[in-house]
Amino acid sequence: MTQNAFISVRNIDKHFGAFQAVNGASIDIGHGEFFSLLGPSGCGKTTLLRMLAGFEAPSSGEILIDGQPMTDVPPNLRPVNMVFQNYAIFPHLSVRDNIAYGLRKQKLSREKRYEMVDEMLDLIKLPGYGERRSHELSGGQRQRIALARALILRPKVLLLDEPLGALDKQLREQMQLELRALQQTVGITFVFVTHDQEEALTLSDRIAVMSGGHVLQIDTPRGLYEAPNSRKVASFIGTMNFFDAQVLGAEGGHFVVETQGLGKLRVPSAGRNLAPGDKVEVAIRPEKLTLSDHKPDQSDGAVSGELENAAYLGERSHYFVRLPGVEQPVAVSAQNSEGATSQVNANTHTWLNWSESAIVLIGKE
Amino acid sequence: MVLLSPAFGFMLVALLVPFGILLLMSLWTAQGFGFDTSLTLDNYRQLLERPIYGALMERSLSISGSVTIATVILCYPMAYYVAFHVHRNKMIWLVFITLPFWTSYLLRVFAWKVVLGYEGVINSGLMSLGLIEAPLEFLLYSQSAVVITLAHAWAAFAILPLYVSLEKIDKSLLEAATDLGDGPVARFMRITLPLSLPGVISASLLIFIPTTGDYITPALLGGPDGAMIGNLIQKQFGPINNWPMGATLAIVLMLCIAVVSGIFILLTMLVRRRIS
């Protein structure tokens, strides 16, 4: 990736006074990639985006876009454009003049400019909106216009700062699909900042999970979900059950661990170097656990516990099972498909089953 | 409506009634030490016929126009600085900017007299530096003295509305303009200035309207060339003792200000539409 990275963020630090917003971030983003920076508020993702745009200068480190160092390039000359969190639609200009705003430097004729604006309005599915003013637009429309205003300049990179955060749930989901389709149509590299893990999973080719200024893990949505490299990543993306464990020994590409709650387990070593006696954690997703009212005949592992709580959520149900020696109840998620054993009563005895491949080994932090 | 009624009542007593009296009096004529209360447009006719009135009116409007332009241009950078480059204790800055206005208007006018006078700060300073042989006479008792003094006296009334309109501008709009390729000058012309126009308009009106009728500054610093319509009105009610003529002048002045302000507002609206 490093060789042909389109955007290369190299060892970036950013201090605001005594506060360190970004700490040694290194990210490579490929050409045409939909890349997300995901993390809770204050994790440094917006600061990193603003450094890509040029609004903040890194305290140390370097950013390259398309092979060019960006250190001395002011924001108005960078080959990037940004969609702001509040969209920043110019209130004194019409939609057409908003979209055409950045074209001024290209010295085009008025006809050519308007033609390009109309093309963009078609692309964002708002044809005929050119004469409107920003106060006549809904949140979703403003968002699209901010997008059009940036895309009309054909930037090498489009930066998006939580552009869907202000929209209601339904519109947000619709815009997610449109955004993804748009990105594939225009083929521009997108760098997308969000705190919404579901949004990041839906949209992105790859995601960098950030926390406290650090980049914790960079991977595809599937990679992050299936093989998180730390407890923080695992708990930030989806729900995860964690169990304390101790390594007993290695056995042909697997470690055998003794867990608190799930008993003795074999987990893939995934290239880790662990010695017997090392403290680790193992984790399993709620949907990879199944419940049964008697001990299953065929299963990689099973323990019995007390069903404490059940929540019916329509398409699926959540169950919480209390295991002896485990502080947190174990979350189990099951599809409420036709014929499924959804009739589980609280405070009954139940069995938890899993398959070995669903267990994830996480180093102790 | 209920909330408006105290203000409305006050306006009725303090504004509409006196205005009615003024209007009525302008239709009377002076007769010795009393009034001829028969209604006539005689005063208005006189005002049109005798060139002194028109000339003074014109001069007043042009002086206060210059004051307005000078004040807004001088205050805009100050307001801009506080709005965009001061991040802490903005209130203190604003208080400091308005500090000179805590002294009386009259005191400030006299202070300018000391600065601009024949043996004043500027003249004696320039003379001791050997830059001039004799004191500059145009400094005091001239229209420029009136413009300088009024521009300073009314600065606070420009800074505050300008500051408010600049402060209100969403900083992300400025970043968006930069992001879309604008350098600092283009960004100022295309975003900052048009969005601060409401402040420019209200600052202009706040200065233009009261300075047109001002009479203290021209009386003390204006000399014969710097006299304004306010001085004449004051004389009509004072030494000349022709109250109906004074009332007529006051009403015509009011009309002139209204017309000029109306044209100004119309023009800025057109400019605004042109920009966008």
Side-chain angles (χ1 to χ4, degrees), chain A residues 260-275:
Chain A
Q260 196 73 246
L262 300 183
K264 203 182 276 184
L265 289 177
R266 274 161 53 88
V267 287
S269 61
R272 277 169 200 271
N273 211 351
L274 292 169

Side-chain angles (χ1 to χ4, degrees), chain B residues 66-97:
Chain B
S66 314
V67 170
T68 307
I69 293 167
T71 315
V72 170
I73 289 176
L74 287 173
C75 293
Y76 198 97
M78 279 196 261
Y80 184 93
Y81 182 80
V82 178
F84 292 115
H85 296 289
V86 175
H87 301 291
R88 276 186 296 175
N89 302 329
K90 287 192 181 200
M91 212 53 228
I92 306 244
W93 274 78
L94 288 177
V95 168
F96 274 127
I97 282 174

Side-chain angles (χ1 to χ4, degrees), chain A residues 1-6 8 10 28:
Chain A
M1 205 76 223
T2 320
Q3 282 307 305
N4 54 8
F6 191 65
S8 194
R10 293 182 183 166
D28 285 323

Side-chain angles (χ1 to χ4, degrees), chain B residues 5-246:
Chain B
S5 57
F8 186 73
F10 184 76
M11 292 228 321
L12 191 77
V13 175
L15 211 71
L16 288 178
V17 171
F19 180 76
I21 295 172
L22 202 67
L23 197 64
L24 186 66
M25 191 179 277
S26 75
L27 300 173
W28 296 348
T29 39
Q31 205 171 50
F33 290 103
F35 303 125
D36 176 358
T37 56
S38 53
L39 301 181
T40 162
L41 286 173
D42 214 40
N43 288 325
Y44 291 90
R45 192 178 45 75
Q46 260 194 55
L47 198 143
L48 283 174
E49 278 172 359
R50 295 178 54 188
I52 174 76
Y53 297 116
L56 266 183
M57 193 71 78
E58 220 179 284
R59 184 195 284 171
S60 300
L61 293 173
S62 91
I63 286 180
S64 66
S66 314
V67 170
T68 307
I69 293 167
T71 315
V72 170
I73 289 176
L74 287 173
C75 293
Y76 198 97
M78 279 196 261
Y80 184 93
Y81 182 80
V82 178
F84 292 115
H85 296 289
V86 175
H87 301 291
R88 276 186 296 175
N89 302 329
K90 287 192 181 200
M91 212 53 228
I92 306 244
W93 274 78
L94 288 177
V95 168
F96 274 127
I97 282 174
T98 55
L99 206 60
F101 308 94
W102 294 17
T103 59
S104 116
Y105 177 43
L106 212 55
L107 255 162
R108 272 178 281 140
V109 175
F110 276 114
W112 275 107
K113 209 167 172 167
V114 171
V115 173
L116 300 172
Y118 202 72
E119 310 222 316
V121 177
I122 292 181
N123 275 328
S124 53
L126 288 175
M127 271 168 56
S128 69
L129 286 172
L131 290 171
I132 49 170
E133 306 260 299
L136 298 171
E137 292 185 11
F138 68 88
L139 279 179
L140 194 58
Y141 303 126
S142 66
Q143 293 190 13
S144 47
V146 176
V147 172
I148 292 170
T149 308
L150 285 177
H152 173 249
W154 291 88
F157 292 86
I159 289 176
L160 293 176
L162 287 171
Y163 167 77
V164 168
S165 72
L166 285 166
E167 171 67 19
K168 242 181 22 194
I169 296 175
D170 184 352
K171 305 291 175 288
S172 67
L173 295 177
L174 304 179
E175 286 189 342
T178 304
D179 184 69
L180 294 166
D182 274 358
V185 177
R187 185 181 74 179
F188 176 79
M189 296 307 289
R190 300 176 78 195
I191 304 295
T192 316
L193 188 59
L195 287 177
S196 64
L197 263 190
V200 173
I201 293 172
S202 48
S204 303
L205 292 179
L206 272 176
I207 294 165
F208 180 75
I209 293 170
T211 52
T212 314
D214 192 271
Y215 74 95
I216 297 175
T217 300
L220 292 173
L221 298 175
D225 290 342
M228 288 165 73
I229 195 77
N231 303 102
L232 188 59
I233 295 174
Q234 187 256 339
K235 284 203 177 81
Q236 298 292 340
F237 283 100
I240 297 176
N241 198 18
N242 186 346
W243 288 27
M245 194 61 208

Side-chain angles (χ1 to χ4, degrees), chain A residues 50 55 75-76 80-82 84 86 88-93 97 101-102 104-105 133 149-150 153, chain B residues 170 172-184 186-187 190-191 194-195 272-273 275-276:
Chain A
R50 290 174 59 78
F55 295 129
N76 53 328
V80 303
N81 284 116
M82 184 148 164
F84 289 80
N86 63 357
I89 303 291
F90 304 125
H92 59 302
L93 301 179
D97 291 328
Y101 192 90
R104 196 183 63 116
K105 279 201 169 166
R133 296 256 162 178
R149 187 175 68 180
L153 301 175
Chain B
D170 184 352
S172 67
L173 295 177
L174 304 179
E175 286 189 342
T178 304
D179 184 69
L180 294 166
D182 274 358
R187 185 181 74 179
R190 300 176 78 195
I191 304 295
L195 287 177
R272 211 171 169 194
R273 198 161 298 162
I275 294 170
S276 58

